Amino acid sequence: MSASSYLTDIQAWRRQYAENLASPDGWLAVSGLFWLQEGENLFGSDPSSQITLPEGSAPAQAGVFTLREGQVTLQCAKGVQMTLNDQPITKTEIALSEYGSSEWIVLNDLKISVIQRGTRLGVRIFDKNNPSLKYFVYLRWFPVQEPYRIQARFVSHSEPVSIQTVNVLGDPLEMNCPGYAEFELQGETCRLSPIETDDGRLWFMFLDATSGKETYSGGRYMTSTAPEEGLVTLDFNKAHNPPCAYTDFATCPLPPPNNHLPVVIKAGELQFRTPHIVHA
């Protein structure tokens, strides 16, 4: 790939990343996260609700989420129209995927998901009219530098290995790790342990010497294609902030200790600045 085509590729990737962030179900659309209490949890636009929906987005009393011994049930209020998987509902039990999230519940312009984090069950609200989406999404990046597109050696584990870390809530996490990527940078031998995604790609969480200074203090994320013939390409120009950099309503995993790199990686996304309104 020529230098000009590589630059074009990275710029297109970054534009798509920003568009996804500002989409109706992107992280800038999140307007709230509410942890369920055992028993009934009323939800609606009434400020006294346990789950308060954005003003004007829903009836004052839209329904109730009931938590009983780890099972969540949704009951819509009389006359309130909601869907789950595009099917109308009045009362339903909420099933969670293996990743701890439910399918979308839709109420007017809101998309609602039930999530599990550690022992907590919560309700996350996405609002396509969230004021953040009316702002200009100003993402800042280091200049594209092709040397930060690194071909690393990938060493597969012969036995299953788990990565142990925590999320921003302090909940312990244990995730399967297929191996590690090893590369040389700035005179240091670096290793990164990834998580394997459903489609065979590798997902990396890492900290480096820029973290908490030029880049987000909670580290950055990066995804690669699957290893081939013992090699994997790590493109730090696509390293980006975790959702927690953009909203207080995310529950991001933090990089495990062995993914704290001793080098300065001036590539990828810089600290996120609060969006600002663009005046016509």
Side-chain angles (χ1 to χ4, degrees):
M1 183 183 295
S2 69
S4 61
S5 60
Y6 176 68
L7 176 61
T8 300
D9 174 72
I10 295 297
Q11 290 172 335
W13 182 91
R14 290 178 176 181
R15 284 194 299 271
Q16 186 62 57
Y17 178 81
E19 289 174 10
N20 292 342
L21 187 64
S23 68
D25 53 7
W27 285 107
L28 289 179
V30 180
S31 63
L33 174 59
F34 303 88
W35 299 111
L36 296 173
Q37 303 299 314
E38 189 74 12
E40 294 187 345
N41 298 261
L42 300 176
F43 70 98
S45 58
D46 187 333
S48 66
S49 303
Q50 284 87 2
I51 301 168
T52 307
L53 304 179
E55 183 178 0
S57 68
Q61 287 82 39
V64 59
F65 284 97
T66 302
L67 174 61
R68 299 286 187 202
E69 298 181 350
Q71 177 61 56
V72 179
T73 302
L74 166 61
Q75 171 73 62
C76 301
K78 185 177 181 180
V80 175
Q81 297 181 340
M82 301 178 68
T83 63
L84 176 64
N85 295 332
D86 298 323
Q87 298 300 312
I89 55 172
T90 54
K91 183 177 182 179
T92 186
E93 289 190 354
I94 303 298
L96 302 180
S97 72
E98 62 178 306
Y99 302 107
S101 299
S102 73
E103 300 289 347
W104 289 117
I105 302 158
V106 177
L107 169 60
N108 299 332
D109 288 338
L110 303 179
K111 298 180 79 172
I112 301 169
S113 179
V114 177
I115 65 171
Q116 183 167 15
R117 299 294 184 266
T119 59
R120 304 173 181 84
L121 284 156
V123 174
R124 181 180 279 145
I125 312 297
F126 292 75
D127 179 9
K128 77 176 191 178
N129 299 310
N130 196 23
S132 292
L133 297 177
K134 296 180 173 62
Y135 298 162
F136 171 60
V137 182
Y138 182 49
L139 302 184
R140 302 182 306 128
W141 304 85
F142 285 107
V144 176
Q145 300 179 72
E146 195 163 359
Y148 277 111
R149 184 176 185 267
I150 297 170
Q151 192 171 65
R153 186 169 69 101
F154 189 77
V155 179
S156 298
H157 293 308
S158 57
E159 299 287 339
V161 171
S162 294
I163 289 179
Q164 296 185 349
T165 185
V166 297
N167 62 20
V168 294
L169 304 174
D171 298 320
L173 300 174
E174 189 170 313
M175 298 175 281
N176 292 330
C177 171
Y180 61 86
E182 185 175 80
F183 56 97
E184 300 292 324
L185 188 63
Q186 299 164 18
E188 299 278 354
T189 299
C190 301
R191 287 185 178 181
L192 285 176
S193 298
I195 309 301
E196 188 172 20
T197 65
D198 286 344
D199 58 5
R201 295 183 300 161
L202 300 180
W203 178 51
F204 297 87
M205 305 175 282
F206 71 93
L207 287 161
D208 70 283
T210 69
S211 301
K213 301 169 186 174
E214 295 161 285
T215 62
Y216 181 59
S217 59
R220 288 180 287 169
Y221 293 170
M222 177 177 62
T223 304
S224 76
T225 56
E228 291 187 17
E229 299 180 351
L231 298 173
V232 63
T233 299
L234 306 179
D235 196 337
F236 288 98
N237 290 298
K238 293 181 179 179
H240 59 87
N241 289 329
C244 293
Y246 312 116
T247 176
D248 293 333
F249 305 125
T251 60
C252 309
L254 297 174
N258 56 315
N259 281 6
H260 294 192
L261 300 178
V263 293
V264 176
I265 299 182
K266 289 182 175 290
E269 190 174 4
L270 292 155
Q271 284 270 23
F272 179 66
R273 290 176 176 170
T274 304
H276 58 275
I277 297 175
V278 177
H279 297 285

